[in-house]
Amino acid sequence: MTDPFVVVGGDAAGLSAASKLKRDDPDREVIVFEKGRWVSYAHCGTPYFVKGDIEHLSDLLALSPEEIEERGIDLRREHEVVAVSPDERTVTVRTADGDAVEQAYGDLLVATGAHAATSPIEGAALDGVFTLHGLDSAAAIRAFLDAPDAASVEAVGGGEYVDRETVARYGAMDPPETVALVGGGYVGIEMAEAFAAHDLDVHLFQRSAHVLQPFGEAVAERVEEHLREQGVTLHLDTEVDRLAGDDGRVTGVSFGDGPLDVDMVLVGIGIRPNTDLLAGTGVELGDSGAIATDEYGRTNVEGVYAAGDVAEDRHVVTGGPAWVPLGLTANRAGRAIGGTVAGDPTPVGDVAGTAVLKAFDLECGRTGVVDHEEAREAGFDPVSETITAGSRSGYYPGAAETTVTLTADRDSGKLLGGTIVGSDRAAIRIDTVATALAGELTVSEVERLDLAYAPPFSPVWDPVLTAAKVLG
Ligand code: FAD
């Protein structure tokens, strides 16, 4: 009998693979090891849980452990895989009570995700300093903000899964008044909105000249203006090097122009793939530090697959490896690998780095290659145009300025990427650009697309078409 399909990591990539395999090959044994208590949860909803738009942590669960087991999956929570032996085809698992056990596998999927970075910031271990990665960190932040009135395990929800001790500890502290967000990426921007909703004085630090680097300048400048209008104090071109504390609790941030007193800090300076368990296995990592995979999610080691935030994929524009740690990438790759392991080889699909983001009342989107240096490195001669157009017919109520930037290769006219920002359903328009990238369209071909028009939805020329006309 074939050894089980062993999955390491019980969230998006891991459970998509396990579910697909069980559906296609019900007789195959599938074991999912998850080191935490939470499984099948939505990281993406945590900023909105902290903000208060979502009432309970358990609302962020797609499937309960019982529902996963009903699918025939052998789910083992609080089981951490600490080592992999490809020669013996076994993994070593540390159980909740500290025992180490060996488990044989026929095929192995590494779907261990990533963790939030705090290095090189000193003082990140102080109380009141958070990252936002996982439901426990969201619960602790919300308990701190709601303290002392509404902060309790029952108030945050999550029942048996929640880290009760941490929630109780933060719930007992005085609630914060001033927060420093270190990092102006998507976590920093989404959390600025969440903290503002709790009436905190919000300071956002970004070490480069603009927030939201992957979205380019046209998006960043509008977002920065909007953040200031919402009362967020921006510290651009400002690197935070140290967090100060007193009696174990954070009291300030230190940076070039001097210290700022704060009683809460959220560090959002990026994530790193969880690859430690592969040390010494010979599984190759790419330049990003994530696991190198082929178009079926296979690593260079026989029988070992990788998917989600821990893995690289192939970029649709450059054809080279790309690390795009996002939700659909993880779900899609996991599902494809489940199909492949069941005997139906299924490509995981290329990535374009398509991402959307809400920044208070603004929506932003990006896809493909928008940075000229990156385009040149990939062998293109990039040219870009930025236009601003209405989101609906000018006479129709609710029309709002929508700014689109498209980037193309000068010689071939091939579309390389695009960004968008606006307040009226702007973000979702980026899907037109992402689809054009998948079809390898030129700018002239984009200009001739038959897109939808009616006054409540769009001007006659959708803003993406207008941008293509100007660039073409
Ligand atoms: P994860 O969801 O991180 O799951 C990995 C699991 O593996 C974890 O449960 C972990 O405990 C477990 N694990 C790790 N090591 C081991 C081990 N050794 N043994 C056993 N188990 C282990 N993406 C979007 O597309 N849109 C968004 O709006 C968006 N918003 C986000 C907001 C936040 C705050 C965060 C943090 C992420 C957001 N993302 C978003 C990213 C998205 O959540 C991830 O891309 C997705 O969850 C990746 O899924 P994954 O299965 O690869 O990893």
Side-chain angles (χ1 to χ4, degrees):
M1 188 169 157
T2 324
D3 279 324
F5 177 39
V6 168
V7 174
V8 192
D11 196 28
L15 287 174
S16 297
S19 300
K20 175 70 174 157
L21 177 56
K22 263 306 190 191
R23 212 173 303 130
D24 290 3
D25 185 1
D27 294 335
R28 180 86 187 264
E29 190 185 353
V30 179
I31 305 174
V32 174
F33 291 113
E34 165 55 52
K35 72 174 180 183
R37 286 182 301 268
W38 297 101
V39 284
S40 189
Y41 50 91
H43 282 289
C44 317
T46 53
Y48 306 103
F49 165 76
V50 172
K51 185 180 172 196
D53 288 346
I54 291 150
E55 201 176 346
H56 291 125
L57 270 184
S58 31
D59 298 336
L60 300 180
L61 302 184
L63 293 171
S64 67
E66 295 72 29
E67 286 168 320
I68 294 165
E69 277 156 13
E70 276 164 21
R71 293 182 175 193
I73 296 166
D74 180 353
L75 174 65
R76 308 208 193 153
R77 293 186 290 151
E78 299 186 86
H79 281 63
E80 180 176 5
V81 174
V82 291
V84 178
S85 307
D87 292 343
E88 286 84 39
R89 286 210 177 206
T90 58
V91 293
T92 309
V93 187
R94 193 161 48 223
T95 65
D97 36 30
D99 296 339
V101 294
E102 301 286 307
Q103 170 65 53
Y105 66 81
D107 299 280
L108 176 70
L109 171 62
V110 181
T112 47
H115 61 275
T118 53
S119 173
I121 295 168
E122 276 179 50
L126 290 162
D127 272 348
V129 181
F130 301 87
T131 57
L132 183 66
H133 204 274
L135 269 52
D136 282 329
S137 51
I141 295 170
R142 173 98 167 250
F144 195 23
L145 297 173
D146 286 348
D149 304 333
S152 68
V153 171
E154 286 65 36
V156 297
E160 56 154 322
Y161 315 126
V162 81
D163 176 356
R164 291 172 166 260
E165 200 183 308
T166 308
V167 167
R169 195 158 61 81
Y170 276 106
M173 292 182 190
D174 290 337
E177 292 176 1
T178 306
V179 62
L181 289 154
V182 183
Y186 73 82
V187 170
I189 303 289
E190 289 178 349
M191 291 303 285
E193 181 182 334
F195 289 133
H198 287 268
D199 292 328
L200 265 69
D201 183 13
V202 182
H203 291 256
L204 190 146
F205 292 83
Q206 167 69 16
R207 73 175 173 184
S208 56
H210 289 293
V211 299
L212 290 179
Q213 292 268 293
F215 287 73
E217 246 176 70
V219 173
E221 283 172 0
R222 266 191 80 178
V223 170
E224 286 159 9
E225 190 188 336
H226 187 58
L227 289 172
R228 290 190 180 105
E229 283 163 7
Q230 299 292 329
V232 176
T233 306
L234 290 184
H235 304 261
L236 301 177
D237 267 327
T238 305
E239 184 150 6
V240 169
D241 36 46
R242 203 172 63 81
L243 307 177
D246 184 28
D247 202 18
R249 203 170 150 176
V250 72
T251 54
V253 291
S254 125
F255 54 101
D257 285 347
L260 172 77
D261 290 344
V262 299
D263 40 17
M264 181 177 195
V265 173
L266 184 100
V267 180
I269 56 172
I271 58 170
R272 308 275 181 271
N274 292 327
T275 56
D276 285 358
L277 75 165
L278 297 175
T281 58
V283 170
E284 278 173 14
L285 306 184
D287 289 346
S288 65
I291 301 168
T293 59
D294 71 5
E295 62 176 316
Y296 294 97
R298 293 180 295 221
T299 70
N300 62 312
V301 169
E302 172 68 23
V304 181
Y305 297 76
D309 285 5
V310 75
E312 287 184 345
D313 293 285
R314 191 177 61 184
H315 199 284
V316 74
V317 176
T318 68
W323 184 46
V324 176
L326 287 174
L328 178 63
T329 314
N331 281 280
R332 204 178 54 161
R335 185 178 153 80
I337 290 166
T340 299
V341 172
D344 175 21
T346 313
V348 296
D350 291 347
V351 292
T354 310
V356 287
L357 168 91
K358 180 174 179 299
F360 290 86
D361 301 326
L362 273 186
E363 299 178 18
C364 321
R366 59 93 56 219
T367 189
V369 177
V370 299
D371 178 64
H372 281 205
E373 207 175 305
E374 194 188 333
R376 277 191 282 273
E377 273 168 25
F380 299 109
D381 179 12
V383 53
S384 297
E385 285 289 350
T386 298
I387 62 100
T388 297
S391 59
R392 313 175 186 205
S393 294
Y395 54 81
Y396 194 88
E401 281 189 351
T402 306
T403 301
V404 178
T405 302
L406 290 183
T407 301
D409 179 45
R410 198 183 301 270
D411 290 342
S412 63
K414 180 183 153 107
L415 185 70
L416 301 179
T419 68
I420 194 157
V421 59
S423 57
D424 180 30
R425 298 160 301 122
I428 207 69
R429 284 195 150 103
I430 203 67
D431 283 345
T432 304
V433 185
T435 307
L437 292 178
E440 299 186 32
L441 301 195
T442 62
V443 176
S444 314
E445 287 169 328
V446 173
E447 190 186 330
R448 291 195 294 274
L449 286 175
D450 180 18
L451 299 189
Y453 157 63
F457 305 114
S458 171
V460 178
W461 291 89
D462 182 278
V464 172
L465 298 182
T466 302
K469 271 202 292 181
V470 173
L471 181 58

